[in-house]
């Protein structure tokens, strides 16, 4: 069921959010001028003219798309994962306010009884009907022995008596039938204006029964309301002469009308609506003068609150003139909200305007965008939650988004090829992180094959393509480390982390026994060919390295190398296996990479992303080098996890995105994933099936990540892992048992037999049992066979512990 923008922005495609200038965007909301390559000659960039911005709501001053985006509401109380841009919380579900059947029955029974009682009253057959009238009225109004009127007093008293009984009967029917409760139930979901209009219509219908002569075409008899009131006025006034006064008569008519309309006015909340309209009208002229009114974000209230009106006016003018895009606004706001804001910060704003604190690359936007982003919150919209009963009420029809708060718990995406893993999840996440990197709040490493749609190379600062001679950067196998033990541990994780019968710690010891002495001799770690030669354990090679060890060098290095020489060639030696793995990288296509010292490419270390908001793209080799690609993916994952843990005091979020994590997950990386949450870092892992991970790691992997996505098309084996992770919930079930009725009387048996002949069914009674049971939130079979194409079941967890239940999401909307 579509919500047509009821619960969020009506612009479901995202054109309400500022888009980048240039193709292939649909709406070029703001053209960003290219930043200068350097400061102009003769001084710094001159500040733009300080033109006071026109209010976005002023007549004739259309608001720029960026200003409208900044000023859009973003509720703070939205559940985690909800797309907050112009989000409107849905009303409580209709089922929660379902009217009980007993209420409907209770409405009908008093109404039927009341009609019968009124009919009997009109015919005068109610027992002791006239005793109260004779008791409370003078005896000279009636003939002796009854209540037949002697004069006009008795006649008018009869009318008043009928009116009093009708009023009491109507009040009793309304109370016993719960008319007010039913009316409030029917009007509960209406807007105030609609509620008032419906109440006015009901009041108009009620007036037609009180004043039928005032409405042309209405021919029914009026209810006993006006007549009894006029008769009471005649009795109190002492005669019919009192009705000769038009003022008195019209006053009585006004009171009667007000008494009829007043219950409907309370039901429709007319007084509250009128008071709200009056307050709004009274406050409208004074709104611009109200100092306590909230200042829209497009007017930069932080600077105005600090007394920096000149800087605020400058930035507001840049926004309304279209010289600032959403990246600029998010970047400037991030620095203004930082702890180090001061005179230097304001001076930077006055000198550079929209280009203040620009990214070191000079870029202020991406060449192309494929997703919808809200950089003010760091969210990227990935789809819309389906409005179905299985989804919780706050998520039905709402957009679902990812942000660093959720990605900080890591994300696992499982789905077959063609299910949208890259196009609808991985690429939007990478695109969002690259945009946030331009604001200085994030660093991203995107790893995938050459044909993976992770954006153009122009969207990245560093592009590493191992095996491609045109690659401007090389990949450092040792992660820029100088400690042989730490470098050996990371390298061992990448080389043999997927080998079950070999402990990565033993492989790390073998590597440390070689690369440590090699570094002591040559001043650097060995290249791939040199490392392979050392691992093969040729005695001459190891002896030559031992001979070149400096005599005044550390004795521990010599001792390590001597131990390696003794272990080489033994049955328990891990060197040959490591050499075979290194041989995957010692191929002609990689001759100029991995520290070959050819001078053609520059080495790049992943520890750089822990210190700078870099955008890195690593293109893994394919077509005959699948094993090498998996080895490099394991190595990159291990290096990233180590760099994220070791960089303390980092002010930006760092994330590694593995579009294809086949063979990259090892026991060591799973343990490291669990320690990432407090480090302001996260990992995105994409898998075609959980079978690409060792079976012993299925449970630990699903438990170590906080965000999980099961795409349509997964198998029941994969669905079982998600079902166990998401657990069960208590649900209320209703069971109906049909019991055959056995009659004892001959006539009853004959009627039952005849009914069975006619209907073909035996006479039964229903026994209804309602109980609470535990049921899987999503079973393996449902995940495998019930998900429509383009849909996914998503559960999110934030670094603060807030989490969402698994919700069904349409990734195409």
């Amino acid at each position: 069921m579509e919500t047509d923008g009821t619960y969020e922005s009506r612009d479901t495609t995202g054109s309400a959010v500022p888009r980048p200038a240039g193709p292939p965007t649909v709406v070029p909301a703001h053209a960003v001028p290219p930043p200068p390559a350097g400061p102009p000659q003769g001084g710094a960039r001159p500040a733009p003219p300080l033109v006071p911005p026109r209010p976005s709501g002023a007549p004739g001053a259309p608001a720029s798309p960026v200003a409208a985006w900044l000023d859009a509401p973003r509720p703070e109380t939205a559940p985690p994962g909800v797309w907050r841009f112009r989000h409107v919380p849905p009303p409580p579900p209709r089922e929660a306010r379902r009217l009980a059947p007993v209420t409907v029955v209770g409405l009908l029974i008093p109404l039927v009884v009341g009609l019968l009682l009124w009919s009997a009253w009109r015919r005068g057959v109610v027992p002791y009907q006239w005793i109260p009238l004779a008791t409370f009225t003078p005896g000279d109004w009636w003939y002796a022995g009854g209540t037949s009127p002697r004069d006009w007093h008795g006649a008018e008293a009869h009318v008043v008596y009928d009116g009093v009984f009708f009023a009491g009967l109507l009040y009793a029917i309304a109370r016993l039938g719960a008319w007010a409760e039913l009316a409030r139930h029917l009007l509960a979901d209406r807007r105030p204006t609609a509620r008032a209009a419906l109440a006015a219509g009901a009041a108009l219908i009620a007036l037609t029964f009180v004043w039928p002569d005032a409405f042309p075409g209405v021919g029914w008899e009026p209810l006993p309301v006006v007549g009894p009131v006029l008769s009471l006025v005649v009795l109190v006034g002492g005669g019919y002469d009192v009705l000769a006064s038009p003022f008195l008569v019209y006053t009585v008519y006004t009171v009667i009308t007000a008494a009829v309309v007043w219950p409907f006015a309370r039901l429709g909340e007319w007084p509250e609506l009128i008071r709200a309209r009056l307050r709004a009208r009274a406050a409208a002229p004074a709104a611009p003068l109200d100092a306590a009114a909230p200042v829209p974000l497009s007017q930069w209230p932080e600077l105005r609150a600090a007394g920096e009106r000149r800087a605020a006016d400058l930035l507001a003018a840049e926004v309304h003139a279209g010289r600032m895009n959403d990246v600029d606004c998010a970047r400037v706001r991030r620095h203004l909200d930082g702890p180090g804001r001061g005179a230097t910060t304001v001076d930077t704003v006055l000198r550079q305007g929209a280009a203040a604190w620009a990214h070191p690359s000079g870029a202020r936007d991406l060449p192309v965008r494929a997703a919808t982003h809200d950089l003010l919150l760091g969210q990227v919209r990935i789809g819309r939650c389906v409005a179905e009963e299985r989804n919780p009420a706050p998520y039905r029809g709402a957009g679902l988004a990812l942000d660093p708060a959720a990605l900080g718990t890591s994300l696992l995406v499982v789905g077959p090829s063609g299910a949208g893993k890259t196009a609808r999840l991985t690429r939007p996440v990478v695109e969002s992180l690259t945009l946030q990197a331009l604001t200085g709040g994030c660093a991203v490493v995107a790893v995938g094959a050459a044909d993976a749609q992770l954006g153009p190379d122009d969207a990245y600062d560093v592009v590493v393509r191992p095996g491609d001679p045109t690659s401007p950067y090389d990949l450092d196998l040792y992660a820029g480390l100088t400690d042989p033990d730490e470098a050996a541990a990371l390298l061992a994780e990448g080389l043999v982390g997927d080998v079950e019968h070999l402990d990565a710690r033993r492989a790390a010891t073998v590597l440390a026994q070689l690369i440590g002495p090699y570094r002591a001799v040559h001043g650097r770690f060995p290249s791939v060919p040199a490392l392979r030669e050392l691992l093969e354990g040729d005695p001459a090679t190891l002896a030559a390295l031992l001979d070149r060890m400096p005599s005044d060098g550390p004795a521990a290095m010599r001792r390590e190398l001597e131990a390696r020489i003794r272990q080489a060639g033994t049955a328990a030696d891990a060197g040959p296996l490591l050499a075979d793995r290194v041989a995957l990288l010692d191929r002609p296509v990689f001759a100029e990479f991995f520290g070959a010292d050819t001078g053609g490419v520059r080495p790049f270390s992943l520890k750089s992303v822990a210190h700078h908001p870099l955008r890195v793209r690593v293109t893994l080799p394919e077509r005959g080098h699948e094993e090498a690609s998996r080895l490099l993916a394991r190595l990159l994952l291990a290096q990233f996890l180590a760099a994220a843990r070791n960089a303390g005091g980092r002010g930006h979020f760092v994330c590694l995105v593995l579009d294809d994590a086949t063979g990259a997950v090892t026991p060591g990386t799973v343990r490291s994933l669990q320690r990432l949450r407090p480090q302001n870092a996260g990992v995105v892992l994409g898998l075609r099936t959980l079978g690409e991970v060792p079976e012993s790691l299925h449970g630990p992997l699903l438990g170590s990540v906080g965000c999980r996505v099961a795409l349509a098309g997964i198998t029941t084996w994969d669905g079982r892992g998600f079902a166990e992770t998401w657990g069960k919930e208590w649900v209320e079930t209703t069971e109906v048992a049909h019991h055959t009725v056995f009659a004892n009387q001959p006539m009853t048996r004959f009627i039952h037999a005849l009914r069975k002949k006619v209907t073909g069914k035996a006479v039964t009674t229903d026994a209804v049992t309602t109980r609470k049971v535990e049921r899987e939130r999503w079973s393996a079979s449902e995940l495998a066979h019930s998900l429509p194409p383009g849909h996914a079941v998503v559960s999110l967890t934030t670094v603060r512990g807030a989490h969402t239940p698994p919700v069904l999401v349409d990734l195409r909307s």
Side-chain angles (χ1 to χ4, degrees):
M1 181 182 67
E2 295 295 333
T3 58
D4 293 332
T6 304
Y7 304 151
E8 59 180 328
S9 170
R10 292 184 180 270
D11 186 6
T12 58
T13 60
S15 58
V17 182
R19 308 283 292 179
T25 55
V26 179
V27 182
H30 51 279
V32 181
Q41 296 181 359
R45 172 183 181 269
L50 298 178
V51 181
R54 301 175 67 181
S56 58
S64 69
V66 180
W69 166 73
L70 278 174
D71 297 339
R74 296 170 175 86
E76 296 288 342
T77 58
V82 169
W83 173 252
R84 288 166 52 189
F85 180 78
R86 292 180 179 171
H87 171 69
V88 178
R94 184 70 177 177
E95 293 76 13
R97 294 190 305 271
R98 181 177 297 170
L99 196 63
V102 67
T103 305
V104 180
V105 175
L107 165 71
L108 297 178
I109 292 178
L111 181 61
V112 173
V113 173
L115 291 176
L116 295 176
L117 189 59
W118 176 247
S119 177
W121 179 273
R122 294 291 301 273
R123 295 196 308 270
V125 297
V126 177
Y128 310 107
Q129 177 176 347
W130 306 111
I131 291 180
L133 179 62
T135 303
F136 294 100
T137 55
D140 57 355
W141 287 7
W142 320 101
Y143 287 107
T147 55
S148 298
R150 184 189 297 271
D151 55 9
W152 62 272
H153 293 90
E156 298 301 331
H158 264 289
V159 176
V160 174
Y161 188 50
D162 290 344
V164 171
F165 178 78
F166 176 78
L169 181 63
L170 183 64
Y171 178 78
I173 293 174
R175 288 299 300 269
L176 294 176
W179 288 10
E181 179 183 349
L182 177 63
R184 284 192 294 267
H185 171 79
L186 295 176
L187 298 178
D189 294 338
R190 310 294 180 181
R191 293 176 298 175
T193 53
R195 187 185 303 116
L198 290 175
L204 185 62
I205 294 175
L207 289 176
T208 62
F209 287 94
V210 177
W211 309 97
D213 297 336
F215 298 89
V218 177
W220 53 66
E221 182 182 354
L223 295 177
V225 176
V226 179
V229 173
L230 293 179
S231 297
L232 181 62
V233 171
V234 170
L235 290 174
V236 173
Y240 294 105
D241 295 339
V242 296
L243 299 181
S245 172
F247 175 76
L248 177 62
V249 172
Y250 284 112
T251 301
V252 172
Y253 288 170
T254 302
V255 172
I256 294 174
T257 303
V260 173
V261 172
W262 176 244
F264 299 95
R266 291 189 58 187
L267 185 64
E269 299 179 356
W270 295 359
E272 292 80 357
L273 182 62
I274 293 174
R275 284 194 294 268
R277 292 294 177 89
L278 293 177
R279 285 196 301 267
R281 183 175 299 178
L289 303 177
D290 187 6
V295 181
L297 293 181
S298 60
Q299 298 297 323
W300 302 92
E302 301 90 342
L303 291 174
R304 299 185 187 277
E308 302 294 344
R309 296 186 57 86
R310 190 162 172 260
D313 290 343
L314 168 62
L315 292 177
E318 297 269 73
V319 168
H320 288 276
R323 293 189 293 269
M324 258 182 124
N325 62 4
D326 54 346
V327 176
D328 297 329
C329 294
R331 183 184 66 250
V332 173
R333 188 169 297 281
R334 179 176 182 272
H335 284 82
L336 293 179
D337 294 341
R341 190 180 74 180
T344 306
T345 304
V346 176
D347 181 66
T348 303
V349 171
L350 294 176
R351 287 188 296 104
Q352 300 182 10
W357 302 289
H359 192 262
S361 65
R364 289 165 56 187
D365 209 337
L366 297 181
V368 62
R369 297 192 193 184
T372 304
H373 306 272
D374 186 6
L375 294 181
L376 208 60
L377 301 176
Q379 288 188 321
V380 55
R381 193 177 187 276
I382 61 173
R384 182 193 296 275
C385 300
V386 179
E388 61 131 28
E389 293 184 359
R390 190 181 291 269
N391 285 346
Y395 290 91
R396 295 175 190 170
L400 195 71
L402 294 172
D403 57 7
L407 295 177
T409 63
S410 297
L411 169 67
L412 176 65
V413 184
V414 180
S417 300
K421 173 171 58 70
T422 301
R424 298 192 176 107
L425 280 169
T426 306
R427 177 168 183 179
V429 169
V430 171
E431 191 173 273
S432 174
L433 296 175
T434 52
L435 284 171
Q436 294 177 54
L438 295 180
T439 69
C442 176
V444 57
V445 181
V447 182
D451 57 351
Q453 301 297 322
L454 299 180
D457 290 349
D458 295 343
Y460 298 93
D461 306 313
V462 176
V463 179
V464 183
R465 293 189 292 268
D468 187 352
T470 63
S471 175
Y473 286 92
D474 186 11
L475 184 62
D476 189 349
L477 293 181
Y478 303 99
L481 300 173
T482 58
D483 183 10
D485 292 328
E486 189 176 359
L490 298 181
L491 186 57
E493 192 69 40
L495 291 176
V496 295
D498 60 332
V499 180
E500 295 184 2
H501 63 273
L502 179 60
D503 190 356
R505 291 173 294 182
R506 189 157 64 93
T509 302
V510 173
L511 289 171
Q513 290 173 341
L514 294 173
I515 65 175
Y518 189 94
R519 180 179 175 82
V521 173
H522 298 279
R524 58 179 177 82
F525 289 128
S527 61
V528 169
L531 180 59
R532 179 184 180 184
E533 186 178 4
L534 292 173
L535 288 172
E536 287 175 347
D538 181 42
T541 303
L542 297 179
L545 180 61
L546 182 61
D547 293 339
R548 297 186 59 181
M549 287 286 294
S551 57
D552 57 346
M557 291 297 177
R558 178 178 293 274
R559 187 169 57 250
E560 288 283 297
L561 184 55
E562 291 174 348
R564 175 90 285 270
I565 293 175
R566 290 193 302 270
Q567 296 169 1
T570 62
D573 184 17
L577 178 58
L578 290 170
D580 291 341
R581 288 303 180 95
V582 173
L584 296 174
L585 303 180
D586 189 18
R587 308 302 303 160
V589 69
F590 304 126
E592 298 180 358
F593 289 88
F594 311 126
D597 291 337
T598 59
V601 292
R602 293 171 289 176
F604 173 76
S605 171
L606 279 190
K607 71 176 184 179
S608 302
V609 300
H611 306 285
H612 308 285
L614 290 175
R615 302 168 296 166
V616 183
R617 170 76 160 97
V618 180
T619 302
L620 297 179
E622 283 190 341
R623 296 179 180 87
H625 302 282
E626 290 82 1
E627 287 298 326
S629 296
R630 296 180 181 181
L631 188 153
L632 292 175
R634 282 194 303 273
L635 182 61
L636 289 170
L637 180 57
Q639 290 184 358
F640 175 83
L641 295 174
R645 293 196 309 269
N646 297 335
R650 182 181 60 251
H652 62 275
F653 177 72
V654 294
C655 187
L656 171 70
V657 180
L658 282 176
D659 180 59
D660 184 4
T662 303
V665 180
T666 65
T669 56
V670 170
R671 288 192 296 268
S672 298
L673 279 176
Q674 298 172 347
R675 298 192 290 266
L676 269 189
R677 298 191 183 188
Q679 304 299 330
N680 198 18
V683 174
V684 178
L685 302 174
L687 294 171
R688 286 180 289 270
T689 173
L690 286 176
E692 297 173 341
V693 176
E695 185 176 359
S696 59
L697 296 180
H698 289 184
L701 176 61
L702 288 169
S704 62
V705 297
C707 305
R708 310 170 189 92
V709 178
L711 295 170
I714 65 173
T715 64
T716 52
W717 292 272
D718 292 341
R720 186 183 302 113
F722 283 99
E724 293 176 355
T725 303
W726 285 326
K728 299 180 180 180
E729 62 180 345
W730 287 99
V731 295
E732 189 175 88
T733 61
T734 301
E735 297 179 357
V736 180
H738 303 283
H739 301 285
T740 304
V741 177
F742 297 96
N744 296 322
Q745 301 298 325
M747 188 63 184
T748 307
R749 287 199 299 269
F750 172 75
I751 294 175
H752 287 185
L754 180 62
R755 178 178 174 181
K756 185 176 181 180
K757 288 290 185 181
V758 174
T759 62
K761 297 180 180 179
V763 180
T764 60
T765 59
D766 296 340
V768 181
T769 303
T770 302
R771 59 180 180 176
K772 285 188 175 182
V773 298
E774 270 193 313
R775 188 188 67 183
E776 289 181 326
R777 298 178 184 270
W778 283 89
S779 67
S781 179
E782 289 173 331
L783 291 172
H785 305 294
S786 300
L787 298 187
H791 288 64
V793 178
V794 183
S795 66
L796 305 177
T797 304
T798 66
V799 292
R800 295 185 178 274
H803 61 88
T804 70
V807 295
L808 180 61
V809 181
D810 186 357
L811 301 177
R812 303 167 298 182
S813 62

